[in-house]
Amino acid sequence: LERTFIAIKPDGVQRGLISEIINRFERKGYKLVAIKLVIPTKEFAEKHYDDLRGRPFFNGLCDFLSSGPVVAMVWEGQGVIKYGRKLIGATSPHNSEPGTIRGDLAISVGRNIIHGSDGPETAKAEISLWFKPDDLINYTANAEKWLYEP
Ligand code: GTP
Ligand code: MG
């Protein structure tokens, strides 16, 4: 099964939205395989957002990501990379549909409360940037037999 990296950014943590966000992934049927609370350094944030180096908002974005606790997670499930992005909604909450996490819970693009990997390669790279292989827990969730056809 596919895995993706999801992070609740410092605004989501400070606004008390951790359980709300986790709930949406859990209810969908995805399986949590790693989770930790961490304050990333600025250097680490720059590594995470390396592809955005040179963008005008890059410095502010990395300052922000390293400004407080972040909930770093790995979620597993069929199609979780692409559909996880759907649950999250468009980058700017001005464009995110109601019903999505950003659409329901955020207003501005620089404070859009959650990050999700944008493809299989970035998912792989981000999971190994944020977690050691041993941090990823392999288990069968009881619900799996009700979520997937054999
Ligand atoms: P992530 O899941 O956080 O990676 O968001 P994304 O994949 O939807 O967007 P992208 O990777 O292009 O941008 C990363 C983050 O940079 C976004 O989540 C925003 O918080 C921030 N960002 C992107 N575009 C802008 C912008 O035009 N202005 C500001 N202030 N922030 C931006
Ligand atoms: Mg992105």
Side-chain angles (χ1 to χ4, degrees), residues 11-30:
D11 50 346
V13 174
Q14 295 293 348
R15 291 179 53 207
L17 296 173
I18 297 172
S19 60
E20 166 75 38
I21 290 169
I22 289 179
N23 203 240
R24 291 180 183 223
F25 280 83
E26 255 189 334
R27 279 188 307 183
K28 174 69 177 171
Y30 297 135

Side-chain angles (χ1 to χ4, degrees), residues 49 85 115-116 118:
Y49 279 127
R85 298 267 298 178
H115 162 83
D118 62 13

Side-chain angles (χ1 to χ4, degrees), residues 6-26 32 35-38 69-73 75 101 105 113-114:
I6 301 290
I8 304 173
K9 298 177 185 181
D11 50 346
V13 174
Q14 295 293 348
R15 291 179 53 207
L17 296 173
I18 297 172
S19 60
E20 166 75 38
I21 290 169
I22 289 179
N23 203 240
R24 291 180 183 223
F25 280 83
E26 255 189 334
L32 185 63
I35 183 167
K36 66 178 173 187
L37 189 66
V38 56
V70 168
V71 177
M73 298 176 282
W75 286 89
I101 292 168
L105 305 170
I113 69 172
I114 181 168

Side-chain angles (χ1 to χ4, degrees), residues 9 49 51-52 55 57 61 85 90-91 102 109-112 114-116 118:
K9 298 177 185 181
Y49 279 127
D51 57 316
L52 298 173
R55 304 293 284 278
F57 56 84
L61 176 63
R85 298 267 298 178
T91 304
R102 286 169 176 163
V109 67
R111 297 292 183 271
N112 61 4
I114 181 168
H115 162 83
D118 62 13

Side-chain angles (χ1 to χ4, degrees), residues 15-149:
R15 291 179 53 207
L17 296 173
I18 297 172
S19 60
E20 166 75 38
I21 290 169
I22 289 179
N23 203 240
R24 291 180 183 223
F25 280 83
E26 255 189 334
R27 279 188 307 183
K28 174 69 177 171
Y30 297 135
K31 178 167 72 179
L32 185 63
V33 297
I35 183 167
K36 66 178 173 187
L37 189 66
V38 56
I39 303 180
T41 63
K42 175 98 182 268
E43 292 66 38
F44 190 91
E46 286 171 354
K47 234 183 254 176
H48 171 75
Y49 279 127
D50 194 53
D51 57 316
L52 298 173
R53 239 175 245 279
R55 304 293 284 278
F57 56 84
F58 180 72
N59 191 52
L61 176 63
C62 295
D63 273 338
F64 173 62
L65 193 70
S66 56
S67 69
V70 168
V71 177
M73 298 176 282
V74 178
W75 286 89
E76 184 182 284
Q78 217 172 72
V80 69
I81 300 174
K82 201 166 173 205
Y83 202 88
R85 298 267 298 178
K86 245 181 165 156
L87 289 180
I88 289 170
T91 304
S92 170
H94 296 296
N95 304 318
S96 330
E97 297 297 327
T100 65
I101 292 168
R102 286 169 176 163
D104 288 346
L105 305 170
I107 295 175
S108 70
V109 67
R111 297 292 183 271
N112 61 4
I113 69 172
I114 181 168
H115 162 83
S117 305
D118 62 13
E121 289 77 28
T122 43
K124 225 179 174 163
E126 289 170 359
I127 289 168
S128 53
L129 176 67
W130 288 79
F131 290 100
K132 299 189 291 278
D134 280 357
D135 296 336
L136 306 174
I137 308 300
N138 294 302
Y139 65 103
T140 303
N142 191 46
E144 274 170 59
K145 60 178 180 285
W146 303 103
L147 288 163
Y148 304 106
E149 289 179 284

